[in-house]
Amino acid sequence: MSLQTLRARFAPSPTGYLHIGGARTALFNWALARRLGGRFILRIEDTDVARNIEDAEAKLMEDLRWLGIEWDEGPDLGGPHGPYRQSQRLEAYRAAADRLLDSGHAYFAFDAPEELDVMRRAAAAEKRAFKYPRPSRFPSRQDADRARAEGRPVVVRCAVPSEEIVVHDEILGNVAFPPGEVEDFVIVKSNGWPTYHFAVVVDDAHMRITHVLRAQEHLMNTPKHVALQRALGVSTPAYAHLPLVMNLDGSKMSKRDKQKDIDAGRLPREIDVHDFRVSGYLPEAIVNFIALLGWSPGDGREKLSMADIAAAFSVDRIIKTSARFDRDKLLAFNTDACAAASAERLRTAFRDYARLNRSPLAGLDDAMLDRVLTVCRGFRTFRDVDAKVGMLFRPDDEVVLEPDAVKKVLARNGGHGVEQLRRILSTLRALPDWTHDRIETAIKSFCDEHGLKMADVAQPLRVAMTGRTISPAIGETLALLSRDAVLRRIERCIRLASSPPSG
């Protein structure tokens, strides 16, 4: 690939949060630009008005920036080849369409949807692929005006030459499309807006894009783009079609997967970047993981920073086959990243997670948050931290005793767990210093004195504090609360567990 004036782009549509596969595409384009001293451009492809979602553009930008992927030109930054939203570039598309119409590389078509359906059904009945029948005489502008006046849909189609189109792909090599395989496709819709195929070619030319890295599913679109580039007399960028990102079972990673999980009563799988953010992953772990989906630095390294990726990236190390998204491996990456992160980095990242999830831990001061993250050390995601200690920082009346915890811990053996809570109250109340070491020592001494196992007391205390049987070490758990709060929750738990169920 040429080093001269390299310009790569990422061009998402504002139809929702950034898909994890799209994030990898953005990362690879960013890395290529950084590796070869080029420019990385963000363009918003918002011409499909019906699918656009309000605020989606802002969400896409936030997702990219959360990952650490910054652009050099874009809708918010501007640049020498803007605007960078397609909806603001309609004049450029109209001018390009007029050029193609005037040169005979495009023509008007007036077919109603019902007429196109009849043609497609006829092709299906004859067991042949449908191909739009090019008219022997191209309609004039007057014909188009007359058709509009009659209420007919007027589109513009590209007149694709009946010749072989060879797409040179930097990953797959040359891919040939035989003469006649690409039909005369629509480039301007009846509402006057450009189609994806037309807008992307005009924009790439105007923005001087030299390299296009995109998913392999776009490969079948590329001969249309090459045909348009030839018709417009503009250069063809270097194309590299990236392997698809699939689930481990070989199925496509789809946003529908989340709904399937919800319907089955499971915690929804993360599909979008925002999902992983809400689930408590570190962005650096996500970036490290997705960089290795279909690419490797070639030296066996698996732990890579953004700087490492940019320094090592090359298209010739991208594989041709689909990449598999191994969630267990990602979780291991995140666990390691959390363990290696500084206290300041964890604190900053956790605050972002807590804010998005309205966690009860969101309001903790730095010192207390550092304590929480330390006592929960070994966590895989920030969601684990919330699950372990979040209930400690909620109001007492929000602590709901889980029925299973009551049955297995508090009520078993004739209420043995409740009895230990009653007995430990005076010990905790009399402690001179409220530190986790003193608390732990006091509970062990209590157990030794009464011939109990540590779990006989620690588990009832966990249930009293959180309503569940999961928390950090019991001394650390109690020390996160004040003595008064601990005693209050114990007394409340005794009262609730001793009361007969209502109804």
Side-chain angles (χ1 to χ4, degrees):
M1 286 190 170
S2 171
L3 299 179
Q4 187 177 5
T5 62
L6 183 145
R7 292 175 61 82
R9 50 80 167 172
F10 178 58
S13 298
T15 56
Y17 286 110
L18 179 62
H19 187 277
I20 196 69
R24 186 197 60 168
T25 298
L27 176 65
F28 282 9
N29 279 281
W30 171 89
L32 179 67
R34 294 292 176 264
R35 172 71 178 85
L36 299 179
R39 304 276 287 177
F40 176 56
I41 293 93
L42 176 66
R43 183 173 75 223
I44 301 299
E45 299 193 339
D46 59 350
T47 57
D48 193 346
V49 180
R51 296 182 64 234
N52 292 344
I53 296 175
E54 188 177 1
D55 296 332
E57 178 184 316
K59 291 174 180 176
L60 286 165
M61 291 186 185
E62 186 176 346
D63 288 340
L64 288 168
R65 286 201 165 108
W66 180 75
L67 291 171
I69 301 173
E70 298 283 349
W71 47 96
D72 303 305
E73 302 169 27
D76 56 334
L77 300 179
H81 304 293
Y84 294 89
R85 294 183 186 91
Q86 288 185 334
S87 58
Q88 298 172 343
R89 300 178 55 79
L90 297 184
E91 285 303 319
Y93 307 136
R94 291 189 185 108
D98 285 342
R99 283 172 53 197
L100 293 178
L101 287 164
D102 291 343
S103 65
H105 289 99
Y107 58 91
F108 295 107
F110 320 137
D111 309 277
E114 301 79 20
E115 294 170 320
L116 290 171
D117 286 342
V118 169
M119 296 181 202
R120 291 190 180 96
R121 286 197 297 270
E126 296 171 13
K127 297 182 179 180
R128 57 178 172 83
F130 171 72
K131 184 179 178 183
Y132 184 80
R134 182 185 301 175
S136 56
R137 181 188 70 84
F138 289 171
S140 66
R141 293 184 186 276
Q142 291 73 22
D143 294 330
D145 291 339
R146 191 160 42 251
R148 289 191 190 94
E150 294 170 356
R152 296 182 66 80
V154 177
V155 302
V156 178
R157 288 181 177 268
C158 177
V160 180
S162 183
E163 60 187 28
E164 181 181 64
I165 298 176
V166 177
V167 174
H168 177 71
D169 186 273
E170 300 288 339
I171 298 170
L172 304 172
N174 288 337
V175 182
F177 295 84
E181 185 166 319
V182 181
E183 69 165 335
D184 290 357
F185 56 96
V186 175
I187 60 173
V188 179
K189 294 177 278 190
S190 59
N191 62 5
W193 285 69
T195 61
Y196 159 75
H197 302 297
F198 190 43
V200 74
V201 167
V202 173
D203 290 345
D204 283 348
H206 183 261
M207 295 178 187
R208 302 181 184 178
I209 301 301
T210 61
H211 298 74
V212 175
L213 277 62
R214 59 189 183 188
Q216 275 184 18
E217 60 192 357
H218 283 290
L219 179 60
M220 300 308 293
N221 296 329
T222 308
K224 295 180 180 179
H225 301 171
V226 171
L228 278 171
Q229 287 153 0
R230 291 174 181 174
L232 288 167
V234 299
S235 60
T236 295
Y239 286 107
H241 290 89
L242 309 173
L244 297 178
V245 179
M246 314 293 281
N247 291 312
L248 276 182
D249 63 5
S251 61
K252 187 176 180 181
M253 283 188 73
S254 167
K255 296 188 179 187
R256 290 189 294 272
D257 290 343
K258 288 194 283 188
Q259 190 57 50
K260 291 176 183 177
D261 288 338
I262 293 170
D263 293 343
R266 298 187 296 264
L267 191 67
R269 278 169 285 183
E270 299 92 351
I271 300 295
D272 298 322
V273 168
H274 188 73
D275 298 335
F276 291 97
R277 186 179 180 186
V278 169
S279 290
Y281 284 80
L282 287 174
E284 50 265 45
I286 297 289
V287 165
N288 186 172
F289 179 76
I290 63 175
L292 299 174
L293 292 175
W295 173 83
S296 75
D299 55 12
R301 284 181 296 164
E302 281 202 323
K303 298 303 167 66
L304 302 165
S305 66
M306 291 283 284
D308 293 334
I309 295 166
F313 190 81
S314 63
V315 172
D316 59 6
R317 297 206 61 81
I318 297 175
I319 64 174
K320 298 179 181 180
T321 56
S322 297
R324 300 300 173 99
F325 197 94
D326 186 339
R327 293 175 182 274
D328 290 338
K329 186 170 184 177
L330 171 58
L331 199 57
F333 271 42
N334 199 70
T335 303
D336 292 346
C338 288
S342 67
E344 182 180 4
R345 173 65 190 124
L346 283 179
R347 193 188 313 132
T348 300
F350 187 87
R351 289 200 184 285
D352 178 69
Y353 160 84
R355 177 183 59 82
L356 289 174
N357 287 277
R358 299 181 180 179
S359 165
L361 306 175
L364 300 184
D365 61 31
D366 287 353
M368 178 57 79
L369 182 52
D370 285 348
R371 283 181 62 189
V372 164
L373 293 171
T374 298
V375 302
C376 293
R377 56 194 171 275
F379 58 86
R380 302 168 303 169
T381 69
F382 291 138
R383 182 175 280 170
D384 293 344
V385 177
D386 226 347
K388 269 194 170 185
V389 303
M391 193 55 70
L392 297 177
F393 297 91
R394 291 187 180 276
D396 293 352
D397 58 8
E398 290 187 17
V399 178
V400 177
L401 304 183
E402 292 184 352
D404 203 43
V406 172
K407 179 181 178 181
K408 293 183 178 180
V409 175
L410 300 180
R412 69 182 181 88
N413 297 331
H416 182 264
V418 174
E419 179 60 25
Q420 303 320 313
L421 289 178
R422 288 194 181 98
R423 298 169 73 183
I424 197 71
L425 266 172
S426 58
T427 298
L428 297 176
R429 190 177 285 117
L431 265 182
D433 298 310
W434 194 254
T435 65
H436 71 86
D437 287 338
R438 288 297 184 94
I439 295 168
E440 198 93 23
T441 300
I443 295 173
K444 287 180 179 177
S445 298
F446 176 86
C447 291
D448 292 342
E449 180 183 348
H450 295 88
L452 299 168
K453 297 177 182 178
M454 190 67 174
D456 291 334
V457 179
Q459 286 297 79
L461 284 170
R462 284 193 174 91
V463 176
M465 297 306 109
T466 68
R468 319 168 54 210
T469 58
I470 299 173
S471 80
I474 194 61
E476 293 174 325
T477 298
L478 300 189
L480 289 172
L481 291 166
S482 68
R483 186 199 310 265
D484 288 345
V486 168
L487 299 177
R488 192 171 61 243
R489 289 197 178 193
I490 292 174
E491 291 168 347
R492 178 177 180 270
C493 181
I494 291 171
R495 187 170 62 253
L496 292 175
S498 303
S499 301
S502 60

